[in-house]
Amino acid sequence: MPELPEVEILVRNLRPLLHRQTIREVQVRRAAVLAPTSVAQLETALVDATFQEITRRGKFLRFELRAKNSRLPLVVLGHLGMTGRMFLARKSEPLPKHAAVILDLGRRNFIYDDPRYFGRLTMDLSSLEKLGPEPLAADFTIEKFARDLKRSRQPIKVKLLDQALVAGVGNIYASEALFRAGIAPRRAANRLTLAQVNALHRAVRTVLAEAIESGSTIPLNFSAGHTDGLFYYGSAAGQEDFYAERLQVYDRAGKACYHCGSRIHRIRQAARSTFYCARCQKK
DNA sequence: CACCATGTTCCTTG
DNA sequence: CCAAGGAACATGGT
């Protein structure tokens, strides 16, 4: 379920559920998601440790814990990849088929489930160092954004996916932000006008903030077997109205633009799909 | 069988 | 050295 807004919603939901919960046992079913941390390292660190703060950085979840009889904070980094989910479940519930890590919290289990195993639950924090500013925080300034865009000849859509430029924008919200700003996805980053840089900066923030706003009005469904299309495709029955038109271009190839009625296009850029309205995004 | 999929990292190429 | 592009990772849906 994972771009910045979805991770933010997840963090907000997990925070009260995990606060001060103590890990009794660690079960790793897919060691690759810990790499380069080993199963033994994770077990040693986490057994008897207690959850403290949980925060988000870009698309990463940062779990802060405290080991038993220790003041030293211990940090575990989570990432959902493309298909990851993290949730709590009663021990009586069946484990999902692709549960990668299970943390025994006593009454319940914390489960990291990920069919494609592209995500992470690791003690290696190096990924955080490469991240650019948080788009919804004050350090995401127009000045730095403009400077960084000037140094790249990549198509602007591709550049928006660069987590060093701004952290947390993924394939869906990159297309959405460009539509919002009226910018053609193929335009080279260093050729945006100052007005376009301003519009894009604002659009990135707006699109992400609105998605968080939208997600925060719905309770997350943690029950077993629930496939989470929550944010993208409005899978929740009876919620169609709510989700209607939330995504303006993503996955809408061939359909009418909500703004001008012309057909939405799909193109390939850096091996990913980009959706846009050729009429609303002329430059 | 074909192609598609919300992401990151590594390797190659220019 | 750098920027950019593509492959790899692994599974499931259509």
Side-chain angles (χ1 to χ4, degrees):
Chain A
M1 48 178 275
E3 287 184 39
L4 181 150
E6 293 74 32
V7 177
E8 176 64 26
I9 295 297
L10 177 62
V11 165
R12 290 182 189 181
N13 277 269
L14 287 178
R15 199 175 275 141
L17 296 173
L18 287 177
H19 189 63
R20 300 201 177 197
Q21 292 285 305
T22 298
I23 298 168
R24 317 287 173 87
E25 193 186 320
V26 176
Q27 190 188 336
V28 179
R29 308 188 130 201
R30 180 65 70 124
V33 305
L34 312 182
T37 301
S38 70
V39 174
Q41 282 175 318
L42 193 78
E43 266 180 21
T44 303
L46 292 190
V47 173
D48 291 330
T50 300
F51 280 98
Q52 305 293 321
E53 310 302 321
I54 306 176
T55 52
R56 178 193 57 72
R57 178 79 173 93
K59 301 172 196 171
F60 290 87
L61 300 100
R62 190 178 176 282
F63 300 94
E64 205 171 300
L65 298 101
R66 199 160 59 204
K68 195 177 189 178
N69 303 323
S70 169
R71 284 291 125 79
L72 301 174
L74 154 70
V75 176
V76 172
L77 200 62
H79 196 287
L80 299 171
M82 301 261 262
T83 54
R85 298 192 309 146
M86 293 183 184
F87 59 99
L88 278 83
R90 274 182 251 284
K91 289 177 170 174
S92 55
E93 293 182 51
L95 286 174
K97 185 174 171 187
H98 300 290
V101 180
I102 300 121
L103 304 180
D104 182 340
L105 303 176
R107 189 186 295 269
R108 303 164 107 182
N109 285 326
F110 169 88
I111 297 166
Y112 163 43
D113 172 44
D114 190 350
R116 289 171 76 176
Y117 305 109
F118 282 0
R120 284 286 179 278
L121 196 65
T122 180
M123 294 169 63
D124 171 28
L125 310 182
S126 58
S127 297
L128 292 178
E129 296 162 15
K130 305 160 198 155
L131 295 181
E134 274 296 310
L136 301 177
D139 63 332
F140 180 45
T141 64
I142 292 174
E143 292 72 25
K144 178 172 162 50
F145 190 49
R147 245 182 290 129
D148 290 348
L149 291 178
K150 267 285 170 261
R151 288 195 282 109
S152 172
R153 272 163 291 185
Q154 279 187 299
I156 185 59
K157 155 60 167 43
V158 176
K159 191 61 189 172
L160 276 177
L161 298 179
D162 179 354
Q163 301 298 295
L165 174 71
V166 52
V169 176
N171 205 40
I172 293 176
Y173 295 111
S175 283
E176 293 297 319
L178 287 170
F179 173 78
R180 181 77 59 122
I183 298 169
R186 291 192 180 93
R187 175 130 301 236
N190 62 357
R191 292 184 57 201
L192 295 202
T193 64
L194 200 53
Q196 286 179 316
V197 171
N198 270 280
L200 185 55
H201 181 268
R202 177 185 295 257
V204 165
R205 298 176 75 128
T206 310
V207 159
L208 297 177
E210 281 182 6
I212 292 171
E213 175 69 25
S214 157
S216 45
T217 61
I218 313 162
L220 273 193
N221 187 347
F222 286 112
S223 67
H226 177 76
T227 54
D228 187 8
L230 193 58
F231 298 97
Y232 304 117
Y233 303 109
S235 68
Q239 301 269 14
E240 289 79 9
D241 286 355
F242 185 87
Y243 295 103
E245 303 190 15
R246 195 170 81 62
L247 297 182
Q248 306 274 299
V249 289
Y250 184 79
D251 205 24
R252 298 198 65 243
K255 297 182 178 164
C257 170
Y258 291 127
H259 186 72
C260 76
S262 68
R263 270 186 321 104
I264 301 297
H265 293 251
R266 178 169 80 90
I267 57 172
R268 302 290 281 179
Q269 291 184 288
R272 316 289 305 272
S273 285
T274 297
F275 298 88
Y276 71 105
C277 171
R279 189 152 154 202
C280 294
Q281 298 169 253
K282 279 217 180 297
K283 294 160 57 172

